[in-house]
Amino acid sequence: VTPPGKYYVVATTFNMGMGGAPEIRTDGTSEVTYGATYYPNSTAKDRAAEVEATAGGDVTGIDIHLVHAAPPARLMTISGTVMGAPGGLGRTEILLMAETAGLPRRLAGLIYAGLDGGSWSIRLPQGLYQVFARYTAAKTPLLSDPVEVRLDSADFTNIALVLGTGGELTGSLKVAGGAPTATPGARYRVTLETMDIPYYGWLAPAPAEVDRDGAFHLVGVLPGNYR
């Protein structure tokens, strides 16, 4: 569902659990990698076709034919370790955000380290990425600071991701006409909406309740820009 207007439609690759050694092929072929492809089959936005959505109407037949990355991209390895995972029933996720000129930042890879963190490895095409770790079972999610990785001609290894509680953000809420308690029975909460990763709001911290004095306290805040 989207508002009426003209749009470009682009397909990008997403790698989940793409780790380990390169494929071994005996038929002379190599691994195929695809670049971001605009509808119908262009890697350049200025050669893409616009798609118009009208009020109350459906747009169908948007078939995109993926184009091989040009020049052909060799998959390279990003690997490292995670420190600070408490173990238990939780799991440690390694998330990789791709930075591509002309496209919004997007999730390019997601893999899992062991229950107690440990080593991890993923293979991706050339490009600019941000890598960070997240542990999801703690009462306050544990996060690492993001590490920028530029894959160009060699693997990028020995990345150390250290889990912590992230940053904190505190403040107060004022409501026109009085404090938050001025409206009987009213409850307020403050939410951060990320501006850096528009389609992955689950990376933002949990909402914070506003107390009777109007104060709020958000925890587990990753570095970035927020509303």
Side-chain angles (χ1 to χ4, degrees), residues 6 19 21 32 34 78 80 92 114 120 131 144 153 161 165-166 177 201 208 215 224:
K6 294 183 178 180
V32 177
Y34 294 96
I78 302 176
T92 303
W120 54 272
V131 186
S144 74
S153 58
L161 300 175
T165 55

Side-chain angles (χ1 to χ4, degrees), residues 104-224:
R105 185 182 300 180
R106 69 189 191 281
L107 186 63
L110 168 63
I111 56 175
Y112 301 104
L115 293 179
D116 57 351
S119 60
W120 54 272
S121 177
I122 189 170
R123 298 173 59 243
L124 292 166
Q126 293 174 325
L128 179 63
Y129 300 93
Q130 278 195 338
V131 186
F132 62 93
R134 182 176 69 165
Y135 182 84
T136 56
K139 182 177 180 181
T140 299
L142 301 177
L143 305 163
S144 74
D145 286 338
V147 175
E148 186 170 282
V149 173
R150 184 179 295 278
L151 282 181
D152 44 30
S153 58
D155 296 336
F156 205 106
T157 59
N158 300 321
I159 299 172
L161 300 175
V162 181
L163 290 168
T165 55
E168 299 184 9
L169 190 151
T170 60
S172 61
L173 173 68
K174 294 183 179 180
V175 179
T181 53
T183 304
R187 295 179 60 193
Y188 297 85
R189 63 172 44 180
V190 174
T191 302
L192 286 188
E193 175 186 337
T194 177
M195 296 168 61
D196 294 327
I197 313 168
Y199 300 109
Y200 295 92
W202 41 265
L203 294 177
E209 296 289 340
V210 177
D211 67 20
R212 60 186 301 172
D213 297 319
F216 62 85
H217 181 195
L218 288 143
V219 297
V221 182
L222 276 174

Side-chain angles (χ1 to χ4, degrees), residues 12-13 36 96-100 103-109 197 200:
T12 58
T13 56
L96 297 100
M97 310 303 301
E99 304 272 356
T100 305
L103 292 175
R105 185 182 300 180
R106 69 189 191 281
L107 186 63
I197 313 168
Y200 295 92

Side-chain angles (χ1 to χ4, degrees), residues 80-94:
T81 56
V82 180
M83 294 178 283
L89 298 178
R91 62 184 181 185
T92 303
E93 303 169 335
I94 311 298

